[in-house]
Amino acid sequence: MGEPHHDGSALYVSDQEPALGSRVTLWLRAPLAAGITGVHVRTVHDGEPRYAEAAPDPSRREAGGYGGTDVWWRAEITAVNPVTPYRFLLATRGGQAWLTAAGLVTHDVTDAGDFRLVCHRPPPSWMSDAIVYQIFPDRFDRSRPMRDLPDWALPRDWDLDPVIPAGPGTSGQFYGGDLDGVAQRLDHIQSLGADTVYLTPIFPARSNHRYNASTFEHVDPLLGGDEALHRLSGALHARGMRLLGDITTNHCGDTHEWFTAAVSDVNAVEREMFYFDRDTGDYESWWGVKTLPKLNWGSELVRARMRAVLKKWLGPLDGWRVDVANMTGRRAADDHNHEVAALLRAELGHEAAFIAEHNHDASADLDREGWHGTMNYGGFTRPVWAWLRGPELDLDHFLGVPGGGGEGGGATGRPRWPPSGRSRPTCRGARSSTPGSCSTRTTRPASAPSPARASATCSRSPCRPRCRARRWCSRAVSSA
């Protein structure tokens, strides 16, 4: 506890939404034990480092309830660029040190871990403290007996049949949960403190997870159709709650109307929407799973149609969680990701949430006019689950990382923190981005569905580990 501290929260940064060119006051809190005798703030203006000297600020003594002996250092910097990196150069009795969002070090480090002032347009204000409850519709609750099922579905008894965790039948097992079933449980969801419901995909598909949509034009009749979505949305909005959908911008299903048109006629206009091999006729797909053909965002038709899809469902939906956002628009030499994110965000308007799924370091995809934030697997889910899990639990993989754990304390084992000889990273906060760090003001994790009814939210084939209690970081952590 004797280390200096700064994060991007309002306690340490005067302006949470700085305008380009504005002056912003920064504070650094330093316990006496840190032995700090001087502080400079290093910023980067137009690519060039600049230094501003900080001075003690007696008016901040005991601010935030911290000890009266802590020294608060104050400096002003200018938000010169849309993203202005900064860090602190500390003079101590033992020499110089840097404090960045990645932690305290005594040697120079790259700018990747710097704190950041971000001047891009903020996300909706409601996102900063939203509590989101994720629902996998097939496993939550059902409003009526099982409907007539399609040929791909493997009917399961709600109360008797255990979930198939992997292998044959995983994506076909069907319990019959629907949207009206969700609506009749809103008292329970709200009693947990949640104010937003996030639904995994609701469009028709040949699977229970529905990430292989056959159309984006209507809600799956097995879930109750468009009418059930409007009933659920209306019930939520009447309570002052919100509803988020799940969209696959990286791919669709192989039974999707766009893809069936493209695959059946080499001259179809939809052909350009996918990556076809001109010699073999084969096509690119997500991780080589042929039921998930990859969309080509170099196509103007993809851009026009996906913009229309996302906008069509606003009203009943208050925004989107974007599946495999980190891969959207990326294939080999193609990289349209940032352009696509900005394009779609602009289409949605100022009040709709736009959250990217990202499985590792999302820093390079944020702090611009695209995704509002990410589902923070790398910075939250993996570290917390690794801490909670038993040290002797051996697995072939742990949340997508090879290896089963044990006492090694590595990427998948129970962590030993802080490591010997290394300082504890400082939490970043508003307007600051760096991989693998947390925040004092993050959107809290969604409550997990009842284990008895949603024990396997990962039913995509092949199975990819997916967290039921998903989390994203809002603009208060790492956003554009």
Side-chain angles (χ1 to χ4, degrees), residues 269-314:
V269 294
E270 290 83 1
R271 192 83 173 179
E272 71 173 49
M273 299 177 70
F274 302 91
Y275 290 97
F276 283 96
D277 187 297
R278 293 185 179 181
D279 297 325
T280 66
D282 196 11
Y283 56 91
E284 187 77 12
S285 59
W286 177 80
W287 279 24
V289 179
K290 290 303 184 180
T291 57
L292 303 173
K294 185 175 178 69
L295 293 167
N296 177 5
W297 279 91
S299 163
E300 289 300 323
L301 195 55
V302 168
R303 298 180 180 217
R305 291 191 178 181
M306 286 303 299
R307 287 203 308 270
V309 167
L310 267 64
K311 193 168 184 178
K312 169 185 172 70
W313 295 101
L314 290 185

Side-chain angles (χ1 to χ4, degrees), residues 220-238:
D220 195 336
L222 295 171
L223 295 176
D226 294 3
E227 297 80 6
L229 176 64
H230 284 276
R231 287 192 293 270
L232 174 58
S233 174
L236 284 163
H237 291 160

Side-chain angles (χ1 to χ4, degrees), residues 64-401:
Y66 292 100
T69 60
D70 288 357
V71 178
W72 289 78
W73 295 82
R74 180 182 185 273
E76 286 192 355
I77 64 173
T78 303
V80 172
N81 304 110
V83 179
T84 302
Y86 67 93
R87 62 171 68 181
F88 296 90
L89 178 62
L90 311 177
T92 75
R93 292 187 292 271
Q96 288 186 324
W98 291 109
L99 179 66
T100 74
L104 185 67
V105 294
T106 56
H107 58 278
D108 204 359
V109 291
T110 68
D111 294 1
D114 282 3
F115 299 102
R116 301 174 189 179
L117 289 180
V118 180
C119 298
H120 290 303
R121 178 166 45 93
S125 59
W126 61 266
M127 287 176 58
S128 64
D129 60 356
I131 301 175
V132 181
Y133 191 104
Q134 178 192 345
I135 292 176
F136 181 38
D138 182 58
R139 309 292 163 78
F140 189 70
D141 201 359
R142 61 186 185 190
S143 63
R144 49 172 281 180
M146 192 88 74
R147 293 171 171 83
D148 292 336
L149 298 184
D151 58 4
W152 59 263
L154 174 64
R156 307 289 283 173
D157 186 284
W158 189 275
D159 297 308
L160 299 178
D161 290 335
V163 170
I164 303 170
T170 302
S171 63
Q173 56 190 328
F174 195 84
Y175 287 83
D178 55 26
L179 300 185
D180 286 324
V182 176
Q184 66 191 17
R185 296 289 185 175
L186 294 186
D187 284 345
H188 166 68
I189 295 171
Q190 195 167 31
S191 73
L192 299 173
D195 56 24
T196 304
V197 169
Y198 153 48
L199 300 172
T200 58
I202 56 175
F203 300 116
R206 292 183 61 83
S207 68
N208 51 28
H209 55 72
R210 298 182 173 88
Y211 283 97
N212 54 333
S214 58
T215 184
F216 297 127
E217 293 302 311
H218 62 267
V219 175
D220 195 336
L222 295 171
L223 295 176
D226 294 3
E227 297 80 6
L229 176 64
H230 284 276
R231 287 192 293 270
L232 174 58
S233 174
L236 284 163
H237 291 160
R239 294 168 178 257
M241 299 173 73
R242 291 180 172 85
L243 182 62
L244 302 180
D246 198 333
I247 190 71
T248 57
T249 55
N250 177 73
H251 55 263
C252 63
D254 62 341
T255 59
H256 196 286
E257 55 211 9
W258 300 345
F259 185 73
T260 56
V263 79
S264 62
D265 182 359
V266 295
N267 296 313
V269 294
E270 290 83 1
R271 192 83 173 179
E272 71 173 49
M273 299 177 70
F274 302 91
Y275 290 97
F276 283 96
D277 187 297
R278 293 185 179 181
D279 297 325
T280 66
D282 196 11
Y283 56 91
E284 187 77 12
S285 59
W286 177 80
W287 279 24
V289 179
K290 290 303 184 180
T291 57
L292 303 173
K294 185 175 178 69
L295 293 167
N296 177 5
W297 279 91
S299 163
E300 289 300 323
L301 195 55
V302 168
R303 298 180 180 217
R305 291 191 178 181
M306 286 303 299
R307 287 203 308 270
V309 167
L310 267 64
K311 193 168 184 178
K312 169 185 172 70
W313 295 101
L314 290 185
L317 299 181
D318 298 289
W320 295 97
R321 176 267 193 188
V322 180
D323 184 62
V324 200
N326 55 306
M327 296 181 71
T328 295
R330 287 179 169 139
R331 176 188 179 269
D334 289 353
D335 192 344
H336 307 289
N337 189 271
H338 298 155
E339 183 183 358
V340 169
L343 179 77
L344 296 179
R345 172 172 168 170
E347 193 70 29
L348 295 177
H350 299 323
E351 288 303 309
F354 195 43
I355 304 297
E357 180 193 31
H358 206 297
N359 278 286
H360 52 102
D361 178 10
S363 301
D365 289 347
L366 299 173
D367 292 339
R368 56 186 74 218
E369 295 280 3
W371 319 115
H372 287 144
T374 65
M375 298 184 69
N376 196 6
Y377 300 126
F380 179 81
T381 306
R382 284 195 184 96
V384 170
W385 279 32
W387 180 68
L388 291 173
R389 57 165 295 188
E392 300 302 327
L393 182 61
D394 290 327
L395 301 169
D396 291 335
H397 57 76
F398 179 65
L399 293 177
V401 179

